[in-house]
Structures are given as structure tokens and as C-alpha cells.
Amino acid sequence: MSAYQCRFKAFLAGPLERVFALLETSLGSDIALLDATNRSLLAQGGKRIRPGLTLLAAGACGGVNGDTVRFAAAAEMIHNATLLHDDVVDGATTRRGKPTVMSILSSPASVLIGDYWLVKAIRCILDAERYSERAIRLFAKTLSDLAEGEMLQLEKASSCDTTRADYLRIIYSKTASLFEASVLAGAVSADAPEEWTAALAGYARNLGLAFQIKDDILDYAGDEALGKPVGIDLKEQKITLPLLCALDSAPAEEAAEVRALVGRISDEPALADRVRAFVLEKDGVDKAVAEMNRYIDEAVSCLDELPPSEEKPYLVELAHYVGERTF
């Protein structure tokens, strides 16, 4: 755990404890297998970024309340539900270095448990004392974005013609949209004025884009010893920012040849090494890092609209942590 993660979790210790007490209560079941699986998933931890964003946003706009806790719990449940579904889509046998539900139980079980978490997230939102309808609309948009992002990514993995516009839509839909909803739900729970809400939306959108770009960079330049597998995107024929940056600097004919190689990786996995070498040769990773840093800078600048608060420095530091993380 990084120094920032330690400070982040220590600062939010009280509210996060309330969030995870609610998660345990909400996800409890008298079906032993379901209950045991849910408890195991909760115990695995994770970065807690999405519920943390909800809590920090509310704190920066006036204070955390019961509805903030409900919305933060919903954000975490939605995030984990999408991971359970993603593991089935991707055929993933491990996540964060541990076996997935899909690999231990089955693909249908992973889908059903993900559905269970989604329903419980909706229940948490509906239990809010105020603004439950606004929060439902926020998270409903995110769920629509997530589905559309996954389908667009599948389509483009098949055709290997991903453009930069396609890529940005995919990573907004799959990652940044939930960051945005998590932050906005926190602002809504604190009855924040419109200008603060807009500033936080801009912060979260840019932060989410940077977060996913970092993940895509780590797929080329990560450290498997830290639990982050390398090369998964290429094996799944996904064209992400490091490769797009490399393609931008290549002659049209060479770029077309590389795209054709990506299209053959599912049948000839060894071709992934050639594509990765091309990305490194063309400085695709370094160029992607530069673009990620621009999103981080933009996220931090959005916070200028917020008044001073204890939470604001943590939001700033979180943006920098996203760019520096190694897994």
C-alpha cells in the first residue's frame, strides 16, 4: 500500500467504516454460498477509490451524512458488480492476484452475484432520505455507459480499427463515468451548489480518464510481480492509448500492418510481442504518459472552483497518486 493510500484510508477511516458496515449488512444472505462469497469479496479490499471519492466530495461540499454513506456503498457495489461481469466477458481467472469467482464457481455464478450486488446498490440508493431520484439517475446513466463501453470495445477488438475518439469513449464509459457518478452523488448528498457540482464533475471525469490510461500503460510497462498482469489487452486485441500513440507516429502503411497483426493475435499469440516491441520503439508508452499527465493537471485545475476544506488536498493528491501508482 502506498503512503498516499495509507493517509487516504486513515483520513476517511470513520466514514469508510460506516460504508463497509452498510455493505456487509446489505449483502448478507441466508444462502450460505452467496453469503460466503460476498464476505470473501469484501475482505479482498481494493483501492476504495470510488466510495472514497463520494465521501471526499461530500466533505468538500459541507459534510458527510447518512445519504453520503449510502451512495458511497452503492458506488462500491456497482464497481464490484462490473468486475464480476467483466471477468466473465474477459475469461479472467485471476484478479488482484487472486482467483476470480468465475474460476472458483462458474461464469453463471459470477454473473448472478454481480446482478445481486447491482440490486443491492439500487436498494441503498432508494433508502436515501433525500435526493434518491437524482442519485438513481446518476448511477443509471453510468450503468448504461458501462454496457455501451463494453459493447463498443468488443466491436473494435473484432475490427481492430479503434480510433482515438473510439478509445476515449470506451474509457469514459467503462471507467470515468463511474468516477463521475461517485463524485456527483457525494456532492448531491451534501446539497452542493451548481458551480461546485460542475467543478467536481470535471475533476472526476478527467481523473477517471487518467486512471484508465494508467491501467493501459501498465499493460505495456507494468510489473507482474506486483499483481498486475502485462499484455492482457493485446491478447484480447484491444487497441489502447500506448498503441494509438505509436500508430500516430508511424507511416500509414506500417500502421496498417500493425493493426493487421493485432487482428491475428487471437490465432497467433506470439504476434503480441511484435506489437509490444513496436509500441516501445515508437515511444508509445512515454507519449501515453504525457497525455495521462495532461488529464491529471486538468482534474486538479477543476478543483480551483471549490472552497478550502480538509478534503480538497486529498482530492489533489489522489489525482497525482493515479499517475504514480504501479498496479
Side-chain angles (χ1 to χ4, degrees), residues 158-240:
S158 175
S159 61
C160 294
D161 62 352
T162 305
T163 64
R164 190 172 289 257
D166 294 329
Y167 172 75
L168 289 174
R169 181 178 178 185
I170 288 167
I171 68 171
Y172 171 79
S173 298
K174 290 190 60 180
T175 303
S177 180
L178 183 52
F179 274 55
E180 195 172 28
S182 301
V183 160
L184 288 175
V188 163
S189 73
D191 198 19
E194 185 57 37
E195 59 270 25
W196 296 0
T197 302
L200 283 165
Y203 165 81
R205 186 165 52 251
N206 284 287
L207 182 69
L209 294 172
F211 185 94
Q212 186 57 55
I213 290 170
K214 180 66 175 186
D215 261 8
D216 296 340
I217 288 167
L218 290 173
D219 196 65
Y220 283 90
D223 185 344
E224 299 211 26
L226 296 174
K228 180 68 176 175
V230 173
I232 299 299
D233 288 342
L234 276 180
K235 289 177 184 176
E236 296 171 356
Q237 299 184 183
K238 295 174 184 175
I239 295 177
T240 59

Side-chain angles (χ1 to χ4, degrees), residues 59-73:
C61 292
V64 170
N65 54 46
D67 285 351
T68 311
V69 171
R70 294 182 185 93
F71 296 159

Side-chain angles (χ1 to χ4, degrees), residues 129-157:
E129 295 177 7
R130 301 173 67 196
Y131 306 123
S132 63
E133 182 178 350
R134 286 183 65 184
I136 280 286
R137 290 182 184 279
L138 286 171
F139 287 115
K141 175 187 176 297
T142 289
L143 290 171
S144 176
D145 289 339
L146 285 162
E148 290 181 350
E150 283 288 354
M151 289 304 298
L152 180 58
Q153 183 167 264
L154 284 172
E155 177 185 310
K156 293 300 175 180

Side-chain angles (χ1 to χ4, degrees), residues 263-286:
R264 291 161 48 199
I265 285 174
S266 61
D267 296 322
E268 301 177 66
L271 293 177
D273 291 336
R274 288 175 59 184
V275 176
R276 185 170 182 270
F278 166 80
V279 170
L280 298 177
E281 177 190 340
K282 298 291 185 181
D283 296 324
V285 169
D286 290 341

Side-chain angles (χ1 to χ4, degrees), residues 257-327:
E257 289 173 357
V258 171
R259 285 183 181 272
L261 290 177
V262 174
R264 291 161 48 199
I265 285 174
S266 61
D267 296 322
E268 301 177 66
L271 293 177
D273 291 336
R274 288 175 59 184
V275 176
R276 185 170 182 270
F278 166 80
V279 170
L280 298 177
E281 177 190 340
K282 298 291 185 181
D283 296 324
V285 169
D286 290 341
K287 291 172 183 174
V289 168
E291 291 200 32
M292 175 194 69
N293 286 334
R294 286 195 287 273
Y295 283 111
I296 290 171
D297 291 343
E298 183 61 28
V300 171
S301 70
C302 288
L303 297 174
D304 291 344
E305 297 297 319
L306 297 183
S309 66
E310 284 187 275
E311 289 77 12
K312 190 172 176 179
Y314 283 91
L315 290 167
V316 173
E317 195 173 354
L318 175 57
H320 295 300
Y321 160 73
V322 161
E324 295 164 2
R325 65 192 177 92
T326 55
F327 63 95

Side-chain angles (χ1 to χ4, degrees), residues 88-131:
V88 175
V89 172
D90 298 336
T93 57
T94 62
R95 181 175 289 278
R96 298 169 185 154
K98 297 181 180 179
T100 59
V101 171
M102 183 196 75
S103 68
I104 296 172
L105 300 178
S106 65
S107 293
S110 192
V111 171
L112 290 169
I113 294 170
D115 290 347
Y116 184 81
W117 283 54
L118 285 176
V119 170
K120 294 301 182 179
I122 293 169
R123 180 75 262 172
C124 271
I125 298 167
L126 290 175
D127 285 342
E129 295 177 7
R130 301 173 67 196
Y131 306 123

